[in-house]
């Protein structure tokens, strides 16, 4: 034993034990693996989310200097410095955050007053900023020198030309809406409309103009009619080219001086640098998308191979989960050990998945499901694992080796990739062994349980003793299917494309894939996602705020501390500067004029403010003191105001700069700490700036809201209410959306009702729940369209039906006990039952009688003829009789008497043969007994002949009964010994089973082996060699021939010739002759049907004689198994491997066809002289009947070919071990399966339809299929017949 | 051109039934078309990868055309892939050794993914020098062959294709149809043969899979007949 073998055995044993373990404790192991995955993925939480979001880095504002563009010499800690922090930023952003409120608030103010006067102050503020200049030793520096000069807007943004600055400083403020013109603002009747005129109507993808100009998110600006806090905030945004700390400091201090914010606790310590990543363009996206498409194709094709499991999708999901979580684990583990991924995760992910692969999982599944199914689940898993252990280990080692080779390429990117791949491979192996194996064991167990449940009823009705476990499995996998004779195998790919009309195929495709539903579902999900994301209160803002929280500067040092105005101590240190009085309108004029002296005038202004302070506090203190309706709002500065730019869309700055064709991709901007500005406006000012139209517009509804507003709006409570009440419109939109959604659903429902039939799904309810595996023909999980065809089930036979014959209108069936029933092929009514028990057509009564007779089996009864006669006579008189036979009651009763007499004798006997032998032994010669009666009756018949119109049938019947019995004793042993179809045991079993049947089955003494039907005559060949001609309508025996001794195995009835093939290989030719010359042939049916080829109607008036014209004594050496006649030729096929062709007229043997190497099982000949034969050797030969030469032959089957049909174009054979088949039209093939009939397209081999014959008979195969010419198909399954009409073919024929 | 040469070389092995003969020809055409489109698609995608790295330079007036590459590149690649994809199964048939190794669509997909990955690596990964890049790619290509093909005929054909294609591209560059930004192997990049080899193997894999599908159908059909 070599080393590898030893190793192999060890590995195999280890896997075996492992499999046992996994299958024994599935739940703990799954929990354990879940914990492992979570633990390994935990370090991933620290990783930044992949994406193109901006990255931040902050430096203290103190002694900030722009970084040098050289990466080499930099001060500070280089490890924390991101690699993009090189060189000067694109721009420095300085925001001046203004918070303004009208205070105190009067009750009769309008909603517009909340923001109109605060907005009006922006013009003054902008003017102040624009004109700010720093004077120091180096001269005067104005804003123009440091600010970012922008040029033209992009040509596509012409409509924003008035609103955004061009050819100058990039300075944005809400005043841009009015071109920074105070007069325009004052004359604007509707501020809200002006602000919102450029808001996009559709989904917002980037920053809107309002956001750009206000500099704060729309939610925070407070410019709407429902602003309960009555604080308006906006920013003046300034983009600077250079960082001039002194200029900025002077601007800051000046603004703070002019508009002090007393309770502002904003920290102004950090400059935040925001780096924007490259925007992914379409060119980058296409390869990425392609790799992902390939990845999904790979996963799809891989998981498609998972088969023979309970839940395919579940296992496929488990496989994908295995791979993905192993990748996550690998990244997590690598991070844990200090290796941060530098590669673009999204790009290498597909390659990692492909490298790790799903192969092992599939191999495992395949190996486990191919273990013997009767083993225990544990053992199956263990065996499957151990059998594949070696290859799994080998693959694993190979892959590791390849990846290790890759590691030695010494390219950092490839090394990293390989590292991840190695860790991923190992963790994937771990997960396969623990997670997937356990899931597989659970699945297999579920499948066994399901099979167990399913198998119980099946076994109950299956006569075969062979335990067929996991029948579902067998039907899915042809390779594992046992050779049960009633399953249909077809090569899988041939039913890929349905040969249906294209329209139907499209519809079926839609129906099968549920494409419409899935599309709608996906669309809805995407829509909801977009809604949630773009909703102002929704996910996007949440995410952006989350992102800001994550950043190192995000956490505010201090919690938001709203300082109520009343608590503000009068003796505050900044009190002197705290409140800017309501004078600035006048002051601003001063300031604009005297810009130069501002620096100097600062002190005096301070003095002025100090003077005005008592005035400012004047309105403040009374509002605190007395509960006057006019309340004073207080502007608070909290943590949420710090770096309010974070609440903007992260596309805010890129889109702003992109308007000027400046890209921020791979570059950064530095955002300087905002300068807080607080504005208090007094009511007088608010009233002054009010537009005259506004008073009219808002007057109507405002008081009511104001009242509410007053009730709730105490300064302390204002803050929590702030978020909730801002966007009433949002709720309106939501309600509207809900309503429209409901409407849509209702509409769709109505449409559905209109387009779908009312009883949709009700007819086929019992079928539609069938599982896929039940269908006979769907290896690929494709279920053929459930059919609308409802088969007509003909019931009546008690035993299995053995022979079946039909012409166009009638259908004759014969069961094992020899009962012949004639059915109307159109309606399915049972017309006649032969032999009849009396003249009743109702079949139900017959067996009742017999049962009553059987229950008192008295052997003596049989011998007492008179008693019987009288008894039966009484019985038979009682039912109402058809008028035709009313004159012959006694004769029929005699026949019945014979039956019953026989029945009583035979009933106790278990076996047919013993019956016969006993007859011999005991010497009861029933024949003689009955013959006596017969002679009497025939005498009376002769007497009646002149007078009665139809005596012959009766006479024949009598003769038949007598002769049947006479013959049976002589040739009884011939019948049961050799049955052609190996049914020998079955009838016996049937006899034992059902006593009522056996009661008169024995009466006939021989079963019908062959049957044919022409016109209204049924020709039946019996096992005892007797040939009988019955009238199909009246159920009377017209003539019979009992010359042959050997059982008639096959029968052909053509025109007026009957050819019977016997068991001993002889061939008898009979001819039927009618003795009445008039009314000889009349065509049955209405004149409209006369176009149908002649079907001679032998009227009941005629005396029919059956004459043996020829006998070919030794046509074949062995029993003739197949017999067909057409076009004046008769073809016989025998077990002696030969075929013979006879001329029908003179029974002259024309050819002996040799070529088969096995017994002939099927022969087909049609009017065009095409002859085909199928043999047990699996060969099919085509012959030329005219020359007797073999045209071609093929070996298509391994087994024998039990049935053969020839269509004009193709010879159609049985399918493998198929049960039965027939060809309807040129291209439609019918095959019988387990409880169903399938229609196939011959030309393409596609399954067209499957018709289920019944609900309870899934185990009953359709044994025989007969195609009627009116496109009805008769299937014989068990004791029932089914009539299946094919509507499309019907149409074609009509 | 070569596609039409390849067509008659495939023997008509199917029986006397006309339908299967016609469907065989049909199949060939369908396969050719499918392969052509796969080639076009791959060419477009991989070209995008290369253009991002500014590896190839097309004349500036052409670069503005569809998909920012010369119009003649995708059809050429498509034709080449059709030829190669038909050539591989044809060669298998002539040699009488049908390719049995990993004949599944999932394996083919894996192969395609690895091929795209090799291209990706050649375009995006920073290598120290060209020798390293070429050696790595060569190793990867051989690994691709060993993982998905493992047939000597496939290897030989791949080598031949790589040689021919490199020759053609050399000629093209020499005549100034296009150029490489930093040629290090005469006029082209030294990793080009590796890419061509891997591409040949991949397209051959696809072609074999398609051919196998066709064979299965025909075998089935003849079985049924």
């Amino acid at each position: 034993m070599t080393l590898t073998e030893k190793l192999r055995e060890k590995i195999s044993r280890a896997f075996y034990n492992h499999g046992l373990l996994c299958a024994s404790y599935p739940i703990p192991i799954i929990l354990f693996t879940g914990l492992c995955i979570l633990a390994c993925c935990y370090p991933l939480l620290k990783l930044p989310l992949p994406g193109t979001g901006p990255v931040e880095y902050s430096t203290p504002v103190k002694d900030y200097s722009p970084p040098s563009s050289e990466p080499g010499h930099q001060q500070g800690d280089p490890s924390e410095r991101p690699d993009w922090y090189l060189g000067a930023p694109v721009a420095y952003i300085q925001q001046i955050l203004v918070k303004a409120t009208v205070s105190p608030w009067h009750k009769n103010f309008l909603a517009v007053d909340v923001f109109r006067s605060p907005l009006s102050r922006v013009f003054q503020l902008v003017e102040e900023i624009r004109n700010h200049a720093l004077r120091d030793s180096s001269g005067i520096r104005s804003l123009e020198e440091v600010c970012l000069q922008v040029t033209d807007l992009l040509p596509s943004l012409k409509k924003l030309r008035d609103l955004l600055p061009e050819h100058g400083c990039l300075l944005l403020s809400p005043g841009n809406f009015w071109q920074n013109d105070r007069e325009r603002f004052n004359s604007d009747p509707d501020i809200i409309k002006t602000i919102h005129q450029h808001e996009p109507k559709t989904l917002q993808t980037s920053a809107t103009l309002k956001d750009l100009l206000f500099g704060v998110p729309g939610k925070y600006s407070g410019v709407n009619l429902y602003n309960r806090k009555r604080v308006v905030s906006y920013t003046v945004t300034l983009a600077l080219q250079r960082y001039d700390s002194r200029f900025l400091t002077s601007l800051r201090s000046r603004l703070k001086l002019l508009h002090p914010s007393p309770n502002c606790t904003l920290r102004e310590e950090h400059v935040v640098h925001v780096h924007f990543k490259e925007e992914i363009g379409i060119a980058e996206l296409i390869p990425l998308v392609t790799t992902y498409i390939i990845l999904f194709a790979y996963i799809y094709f891989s998981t498609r191979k998972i088969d023979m499991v309970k839940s395919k999708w579940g296992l496929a999901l488990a496989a994908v989960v295995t791979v993905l979580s192993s990748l996550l684990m690998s990244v997590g583990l690598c991070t844990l050990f200090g290796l941060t991924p530098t590669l673009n995760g999204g790009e290498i992910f597909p390659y990692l998945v492909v490298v790790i692969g799903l192969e092992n999982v599939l191999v495992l599944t395949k190996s486990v499901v191919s273990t013997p199914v009767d083993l225990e689940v544990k053992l199956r898993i263990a065996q499957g694992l151990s059998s594949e252990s070696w290859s799994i280990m080998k693959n694993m080692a190979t892959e590791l080796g390849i990846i290790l080779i890759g590691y030695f390429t010494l390219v950092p990117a490839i090394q990293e990739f390989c590292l991840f791949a190695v860790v991923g491979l190992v963790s994937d192996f771990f997960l396969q062994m623990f997670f997937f194996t356990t899931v597989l064991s659970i699945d297999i167990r579920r499948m066994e349980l399901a099979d167990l449940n399913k198998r119980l009823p099946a076994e109950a009705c299956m006569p075969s003793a062979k335990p067929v476990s996991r029948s579902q499995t067998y039907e899915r996998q042809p390779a594992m299917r046992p050779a049960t004779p009633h399953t249909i195998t077809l090569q899988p790919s041939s039913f890929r494309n349905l040969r249906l009309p294209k329209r139907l195929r499209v519809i079926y495709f839609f129906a099968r894939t549920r494409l419409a539903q899935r599309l709608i579902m996906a669309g809805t999900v995407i829509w909801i996602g977009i809604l949630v994301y773009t909703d102002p209160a929704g996910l996007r803002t949440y995410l952006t705020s989350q992102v800001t929280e994550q950043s190192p500067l995000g956490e505010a040092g201090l919690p938001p501390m709203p300082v109520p105005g009343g608590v503000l101590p009068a003796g505050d240190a900044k009190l002197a500067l705290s409140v800017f009085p309501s004078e600035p309108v006048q002051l601003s004029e001063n300031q604009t004029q005297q810009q130069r002296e501002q620096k100097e005038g600062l002190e005096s202004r301070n003095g002025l403010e100090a003077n005005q302070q008592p005035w400012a506090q004047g309105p403040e203190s009374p509002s605190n003191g007395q509960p006057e309706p006019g309340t004073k709002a207080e502007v608070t500065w909290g943590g949420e105001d710090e770096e309010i730019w974070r609440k903007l869309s992260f596309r805010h700055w890129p889109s702003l700069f992109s308007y000027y064709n400046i890209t921020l991709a791979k570059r950064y901007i530095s955002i300087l700490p905002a300068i807080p500005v607080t504005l208090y406006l007094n009511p007088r000012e608010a009233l002054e700036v009010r537009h005259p139209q506004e008073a009219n517009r808002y007057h109507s509804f405002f008081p009511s809201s104001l009242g509410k507003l007053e009730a709730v709006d105490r300064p302390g409570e204002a803050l929590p209410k702030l978020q909730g009440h801002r966007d009433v419109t949002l709720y309106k939109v939501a309600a509207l959306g809900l309503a429209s959604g409901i409407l849509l659903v209702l509409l769709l429902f109505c449409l559905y009702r209109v387009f779908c039939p009312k009883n949709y799904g009700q007819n086929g309810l019992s079928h539609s729940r069938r599982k896929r595996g039940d269908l006979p023909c769907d290896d690929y999980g494709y279920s053929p369209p459930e059919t609308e065809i409802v088969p007509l089930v003909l019931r009546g036979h008690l035993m299995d039906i053995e022979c079946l014959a039909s012409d166009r209108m009638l259908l004759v069936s014969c069961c094992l006990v020899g009962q012949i029933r004639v059915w109307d092929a159109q309606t399915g009514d049972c017309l006649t039952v032969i032999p009849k028990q009396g003249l009743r057509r109702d079949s139900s009564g017959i067996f009742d009688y017999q049962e009553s007779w059987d229950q008192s089996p008295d052997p003596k009864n049989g011998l007492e003829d008179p008693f019987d006669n009288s008894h039966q006579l009484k019985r038979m008189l009682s039912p109402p009789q058809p008028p035709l036979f009313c004159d012959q009651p006694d004769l029929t009763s005699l026949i019945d008497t014979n039956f019953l007499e026989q029945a009583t004798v035979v009933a106790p006997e278990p076996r047919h043969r013993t019956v016969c032998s006993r007859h011999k032994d005991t010497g009861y010669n029933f024949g003689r007994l009955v013959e006596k009666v017969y002679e009497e009756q025939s005498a009376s018949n002769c007497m009646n002949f002149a007078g009665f119109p139809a005596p012959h049938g009766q006479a024949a019947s009598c003769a038949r009964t007598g002769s049947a019995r006479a013959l049976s004793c002589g040739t009884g042993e011939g019948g049961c010994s050799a049955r052609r179809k190996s049914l020998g045991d079955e009838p016996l079993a049937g006899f034992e089973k059902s006593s009522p049947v056996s009661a008169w089955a024995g009466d006939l003494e021989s079963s019908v082996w062959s049957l044919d039907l022409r016109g209204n005559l049924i020709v039946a060949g019996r096992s005892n060699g007797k040939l009988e001609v019955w009238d199909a309508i009246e159920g009377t025996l017209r003539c019979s021939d009992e010359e042959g001794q050997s059982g008639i195995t096959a029968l052909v009835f053509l025109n007026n010739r009957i050819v019977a093939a016997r068991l001993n290989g002889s061939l008898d030719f009979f001819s039927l002759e009618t003795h009445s010359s008039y009314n000889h042939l009349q065509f049955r049916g209405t004149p409209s049907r006369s176009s149908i080829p002649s079907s001679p109607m032998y009227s009941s008036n005629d005396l029919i004689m059956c004459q043996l014209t020829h006998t070919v004594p030794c046509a074949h050496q062995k029993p003739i198994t197949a017999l067909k006649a057409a076009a004046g030729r008769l073809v016989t096929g025998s077990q002696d491997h030969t075929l013979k062709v006879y001329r029908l007229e003179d029974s002259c043997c024309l050819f002996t066809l040799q070529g088969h190497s096995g017994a002939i099982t099927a022969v087909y000949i049609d009017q065009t002289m095409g002859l085909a034969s199928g043999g047990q050797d699996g060969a099919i030969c085509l012959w030329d009947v005219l020359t007797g030469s073999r045209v071609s032959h093929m070996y298509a089957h391994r087994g024998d070919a039990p049935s053969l049909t020839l269509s004009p174009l193709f010879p159609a054979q049985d399918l493998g071990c198929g049960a039965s088949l027939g060809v309807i039209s040129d291209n439609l093939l019918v095959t019988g399966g387990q409880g169903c009939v399938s229609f196939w397209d011959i030309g393409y081999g596609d399954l067209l339809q499957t018709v289920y014959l019944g609900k309870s008979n899934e185990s009953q195969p359709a044994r025989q299929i007969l195609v009627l010419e009116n496109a009805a198909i008769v299937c014989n399954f068990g004791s029932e017949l089914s009539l299946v009409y094919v509507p499309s073919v019907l149409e074609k024929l009509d | 051109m070569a596609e039409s040469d390849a067509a008659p070389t495939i023997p008509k092995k199917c029986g006397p039934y006309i339908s299967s003969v016609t469907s065989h020809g049909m199949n060939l055409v369908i396969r050719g078309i499918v392969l052509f489109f796969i080639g076009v698609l791959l060419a477009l995608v991989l070209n995008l990868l290369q253009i991002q790295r500014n590896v190839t330079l097309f004349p500036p007036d052409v670069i503005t055309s569809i998909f920012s590459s010369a119009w003649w590149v995708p059809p050429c690649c498509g034709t080449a892939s059709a030829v190669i994809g038909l050539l591989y199964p044809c060669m298998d048939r002539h040699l009488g050794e049908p390719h049995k190794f990993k004949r599944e669509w999932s394996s083919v997909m894996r192969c395609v993914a690895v091929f795209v990955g090799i291209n990706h690596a050649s375009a995006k990964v920073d290598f120290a020098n060209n020798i390293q890049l070429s050696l790595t790619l060569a190793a990867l290509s051989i690994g691709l062959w060993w993982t998905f093909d493992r047939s000597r005929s496939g290897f030989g054909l791949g080598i031949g294709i790589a040689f021919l294609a490199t020759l053609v591209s050399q000629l093209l560059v020499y005549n100034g149809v296009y150029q490489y930004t930093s040629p290090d192997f005469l006029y082209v990049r030294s990793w080009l043969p590796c890419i061509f080899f891997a591409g040949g193997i991949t397209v051959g894999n696809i072609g074999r899979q398609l051919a196998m599908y066709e064979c299965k159908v025909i075998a089935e059909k003849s079985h049924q007949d």
Side-chain angles (χ1 to χ4, degrees), chain A residues 278-293:
Chain A
E278 199 176 5
E279 296 268 313
I280 288 190
I282 193 85
E284 286 223 330
L285 220 53
I286 286 179
L288 202 65
V289 168
T290 313
T291 51
Y292 273 89
I293 287 174

Side-chain angles (χ1 to χ4, degrees), chain A residues 1148-1178:
Chain A
C1148 170
C1149 177
L1150 296 177
F1151 308 107
T1152 299
L1153 309 176
Q1154 288 173 331
H1156 280 285
S1157 54
I1160 311 294
T1161 53
V1163 164
Y1164 182 84
I1165 185 169
D1166 62 6
Q1167 290 293 329
T1168 60
M1169 294 281 202
L1171 171 61
S1173 61
Q1176 247 170 4
D1177 50 352

Side-chain angles (χ1 to χ4, degrees), chain B residues 122-208:
Chain B
S122 79
K124 291 224 161 167
V125 177
D126 296 308
F127 287 91
N129 51 34
N130 278 318
I131 306 278
Q132 196 187 28
L133 171 65
S134 307
L135 283 182
T136 311
L137 287 189
L140 280 175
S141 306
I142 303 281
L144 179 88
W145 167 79
W146 194 78
T147 320
F148 297 105
D149 192 320
R150 286 196 204 177
S151 69
R152 271 174 301 164
S153 56
F155 189 77
L157 201 53
I159 293 273
I161 288 163
F163 178 73
L164 267 181
T166 315
L167 197 68
V168 167
S169 55
Q170 288 276 12
L171 285 177
L172 285 179
V173 174
Y174 182 74
N175 289 320
V177 181
Y178 71 108
Q179 64 186 40
Y180 283 85
T181 42
S182 54
D184 63 324
F185 177 61
L186 299 181
Y187 299 99
V188 297
R189 301 296 298 266
S190 53
W191 44 259
L192 210 57
C194 306
I195 294 287
F196 281 133
F197 176 77
I201 298 286
T202 307
V203 174
N205 216 342
I206 298 173
R208 277 167 165 169

Side-chain angles (χ1 to χ4, degrees), chain A residues 415-444:
Chain A
Q415 276 180 331
E416 190 184 331
F417 180 85
C418 290
L419 200 63
F420 281 125
V422 165
V423 183
L425 259 184
V426 174
S427 49
D428 184 54
F429 180 73
F430 165 77
L431 285 183
Q432 273 166 20
M433 284 301 108
F434 283 92
F435 177 69
F436 188 77
T437 311
T438 320
V439 170
L440 191 64
S441 80
I442 290 174
D443 185 273
I444 296 243

Side-chain angles (χ1 to χ4, degrees), chain A residues 283 305 354 409 491 493, chain B residues 52 104 110 120 132 213 220:
Chain A
K305 289 188 291 186
V354 163
T409 51
Q491 295 301 318
S493 74
Chain B
Q52 283 169 23
E104 288 157 339
R110 220 178 167 191
H120 203 127
Q132 196 187 28
Y213 189 64
E220 235 155 54

Side-chain angles (χ1 to χ4, degrees), chain A residues 336-612:
Chain A
L336 189 67
F337 291 108
L339 190 125
T340 47
T342 58
L343 295 175
N344 185 349
E347 268 180 17
I348 63 165
F349 171 75
Y351 303 124
L352 274 177
V353 171
V354 163
V355 162
I356 288 175
L358 291 166
E359 263 67 23
N360 273 349
V361 165
L362 304 178
V363 163
L364 268 185
T365 314
K366 209 174 208 169
S367 147
V368 167
V369 296
S370 58
T371 49
V373 291
D374 47 346
L375 282 179
E376 210 181 329
V377 177
K378 260 193 249 180
L379 297 178
R380 285 187 72 187
I381 297 282
Q383 280 192 6
L385 271 185
S386 78
S387 66
E388 282 300 328
S389 58
W390 182 242
S391 73
I392 286 178
M393 291 307 284
K394 227 167 51 178
N395 272 339
M396 172 105 179
T398 325
E399 286 189 338
L400 283 180
I402 289 177
I403 291 171
L404 278 181
I405 291 173
Y407 193 77
F408 288 112
T409 51
L410 301 176
V411 183
I414 293 184
Q415 276 180 331
E416 190 184 331
F417 180 85
C418 290
L419 200 63
F420 281 125
V422 165
V423 183
L425 259 184
V426 174
S427 49
D428 184 54
F429 180 73
F430 165 77
L431 285 183
Q432 273 166 20
M433 284 301 108
F434 283 92
F435 177 69
F436 188 77
T437 311
T438 320
V439 170
L440 191 64
S441 80
I442 290 174
D443 185 273
I444 296 243
R445 184 165 293 131
R446 276 180 60 205
M447 186 169 77
E448 293 216 328
L449 285 179
D451 274 354
L452 212 63
N453 291 338
K454 221 183 70 180
R455 212 191 325 165
L456 279 176
E459 273 180 345
C461 59
M462 278 281 280
S464 74
K466 208 166 83 179
V468 185
S469 60
R470 220 171 309 289
S471 59
Q472 178 192 4
T473 315
Y474 284 146
E475 277 175 355
R476 284 212 190 142
Q477 176 100 3
M480 288 188 61
R481 187 180 302 187
T484 50
H486 306 304
T487 45
I488 296 176
T489 328
L490 210 71
Q491 295 301 318
S493 74
S494 56
F495 15 71
R496 284 291 178 69
N497 47 350
L498 257 188
R499 195 54 53 172
L500 284 171
K502 281 218 172 63
R503 174 176 54 88
L504 270 183
R505 260 196 276 174
V506 169
I507 290 174
Y508 282 142
F509 175 75
F510 273 102
R512 198 170 62 232
T513 54
R514 275 101 174 139
L515 204 62
Q517 290 98 313
R518 284 179 189 178
L519 279 183
I520 289 173
M521 217 158 69
T524 316
V525 167
I526 291 171
W527 183 58
I528 290 172
I530 288 173
L531 272 189
V532 167
Y533 185 72
T534 57
D535 180 41
L539 193 64
R540 187 177 58 165
T541 46
Y542 174 73
L543 277 183
T544 46
S545 65
Q546 283 297 106
V547 167
T548 55
E549 293 300 317
Q550 258 187 3
S551 68
L553 261 193
E555 63 265 26
L558 290 172
M561 285 203 343
V563 184
V567 197
L568 190 67
D572 194 273
K574 291 181 185 169
L575 191 63
L577 306 176
S578 68
V579 181
F580 193 73
S582 61
E583 291 293 322
V585 183
Q586 295 94 326
L587 271 180
S588 71
E589 259 91 73
N590 295 344
Q591 280 175 334
T592 47
Q593 290 153 8
Q594 37 173 324
Q595 277 303 315
R596 298 290 141 77
E597 305 98 51
Q598 267 190 356
K599 198 79 169 147
E600 302 90 283
L602 208 62
E603 291 304 313
S604 65
R605 199 170 302 279
N606 277 348
L608 182 64
E609 281 157 7
N611 291 339
Q612 282 165 341

Side-chain angles (χ1 to χ4, degrees), chain A residues 282-298 347 350-351 354, chain B residues 38 40-46 48-49 109 112-113 116-117 120:
Chain A
I282 193 85
E284 286 223 330
L285 220 53
I286 286 179
L288 202 65
V289 168
T290 313
T291 51
Y292 273 89
I293 287 174
I294 293 172
L295 173 71
F296 282 121
Y298 169 62
E347 268 180 17
Y351 303 124
V354 163
Chain B
I38 288 173
V40 169
L41 205 71
L42 279 178
L44 287 176
V45 170
L46 301 181
L48 275 178
L49 272 177
M109 283 298 148
V112 174
V116 175
H120 203 127

